[in-house]
């Protein structure tokens, strides 16, 4: 199946803000629109993202907003306001033929990985990042996020991705707006399977997203692609503020292995995991969690995908700052130095 990278945003087109998960907060939406305007992007807020809403619109109404945005030629990009936890209920109401006939650059992640995987099945490349929190935290938009968002909006591909110079795991307090503490970024680490060539780059079309959403799709088994379409692909995986115990991630990868899916991937990209989270049923150690996560991922890859190579600690998903991971694009990972590049393919 051929993949399409939707056209770049034109000067005379708007970016539509939709709420496929939850409606918008008025103040945060205003800040997000101001920061997009500073990039030269006109925004249009569709009904589901109306900040006067107290509750999410119905799944059918949210689907209708998405279809309307894709079909409108005056709209050149669509961005989810934020994530949530029930977007999978929207998918059954979507008309895939309308989306495929009107490929438009969609931005979102977390719960919006539901829609992104739906688009993947129809051969449409989509991008990470949403209005909240990515564009509205801190006193100004992160230069790192801005650089790659510009590429995702206006260029054919985002190309080579460098590590962010610094990162944070702290929540941003919108009431006090106190500056967060940032740490130096040591860059990604890599792993090469025992049966793989140690210095040979691996590449393939990116499939995956947030661990919770992948788990839902594996459980429902309604929106998974034909397994053959994953041959030679690159699995993207990142954990959210839920901070799943590493053993849970390992169990899910093991199930993918037993299902014959994990062995199909030539590469794996793991986002920097968030460890600072709301009250959890367990108490993760922020210094040990990333290594524990890497341990279970490499264990299951050794068992089921020994030819694969994996990179850990990339700046996508639930981390600050982040780049808009393009699902459906072709990624190349060089395990020798962790270099990462995306092309439209």
């Amino acid at each position: 199946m051929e993949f399409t990278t939707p056209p770049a945003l034109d000067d005379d087109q708007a970016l539509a803000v939709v709420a496929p998960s939850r409606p918008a907060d008025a103040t945060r939406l205003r800040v997000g629109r101001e920061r997009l305007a500073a990039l030269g992007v006109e925004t249009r807020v569709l009904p589901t993202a109306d900040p006067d809403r107290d509750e999410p619109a119905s799944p059918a109404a949210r689907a209708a907003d998405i279809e309307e945005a894709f079909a409108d030629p005056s709209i050149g990009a669509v961005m989810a306001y934020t994530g949530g936890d029930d977007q999978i209920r929207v998918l059954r109401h979507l008309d895939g033929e309308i989306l495929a006939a009107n490929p438009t650059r969609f931005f979102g992640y977390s719960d919006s990985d539901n829609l992104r995987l739906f688009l993947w099945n129809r051969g449409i490349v989509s991008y990470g990042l949403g209005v909240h929190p990515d564009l509205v935290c801190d006193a100004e938009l992160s230069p790192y996020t801005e650089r790659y968002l510009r590429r995702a909006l206006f260029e054919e591909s985002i190309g080579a991705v460098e590590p962010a110079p610094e990162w944070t795991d702290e929540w941003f307090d919108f009431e006090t707006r106190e500056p967060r503490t940032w740490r130096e970024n040591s860059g990604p680490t890599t792993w090469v399977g025992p049966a793989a060539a140690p210095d040979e780059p691996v590449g393939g079309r990116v499939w995956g997203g947030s661990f919770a959403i992948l788990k839902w799709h594996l459980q429902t088994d309604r929106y998974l692609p034909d397994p053959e379409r994953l041959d030679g692909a690159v699995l993207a995986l990142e954990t959210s503020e839920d901070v799943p115990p590493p053993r849970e991630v390992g169990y899910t990868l093991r199930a993918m292995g037993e299902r014959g899916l994990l062995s199909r991937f030539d590469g794996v990209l793991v986002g920097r995991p968030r460890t600072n989270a709301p009250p959890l049923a367990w108490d993760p150690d922020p210094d040990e969690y990333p290594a524990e996560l890497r341990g279970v991922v490499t264990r299951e890859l050794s068992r089921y995908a020994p030819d694969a190579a994996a990179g850990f600690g990339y700046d996508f998903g639930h981390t600050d700052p982040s780049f808009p991971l393009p699902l459906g694009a072709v990624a190349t990972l060089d395990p020798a130095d962790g270099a990462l590049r995306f092309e439209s393919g």
Side-chain angles (χ1 to χ4, degrees), residues 268-294:
V268 179
L269 301 175
V270 180
R272 183 191 311 283
R274 178 175 288 279
T275 59
N276 186 4
L280 301 170
W282 71 295
D283 187 21
D285 185 321
D287 294 321
E288 295 182 5
Y289 182 78
E292 292 172 352
L293 192 64
R294 172 177 171 154

Side-chain angles (χ1 to χ4, degrees), residues 3 14 29 37 69 73 84 86 91 111 127 132 139 170 176 179 220 230 246 269 332 334:
F3 270 74
L29 177 61
D86 82 332
L91 302 186
D111 202 26
Y127 302 83
H132 173 266
E170 293 183 1
T176 66
T220 57
L230 298 177
L269 301 175
T332 301
D334 189 341

Side-chain angles (χ1 to χ4, degrees), residues 108-189:
Y109 69 108
S110 193
D111 202 26
S112 289
D113 285 336
N114 281 291
L115 176 54
R116 295 217 289 157
L117 290 170
F118 187 90
L119 294 172
W120 196 99
N121 289 341
R122 282 144 188 85
I124 301 174
V125 174
S126 62
Y127 302 83
L129 297 185
V131 174
H132 173 266
D134 304 283
L135 306 187
V136 302
C137 291
D138 303 309
E140 60 183 20
L141 179 61
S142 160
Y144 182 85
T145 297
E146 178 182 342
R147 180 198 316 166
Y148 294 105
L149 175 57
R150 284 185 181 275
R151 293 186 192 179
L153 284 168
F154 303 120
E155 299 183 18
E156 179 67 15
S157 66
I158 66 173
V161 174
E162 301 293 333
E166 56 183 7
W167 64 278
T168 185
D169 202 19
E170 293 183 1
W171 293 96
F172 181 68
D173 189 326
F174 283 93
E175 298 299 325
T176 66
R177 303 195 70 84
E178 289 290 325
R180 297 187 285 180
T181 301
W182 296 79
R183 309 185 200 180
E184 183 179 355
N185 185 6
S186 59
T189 59

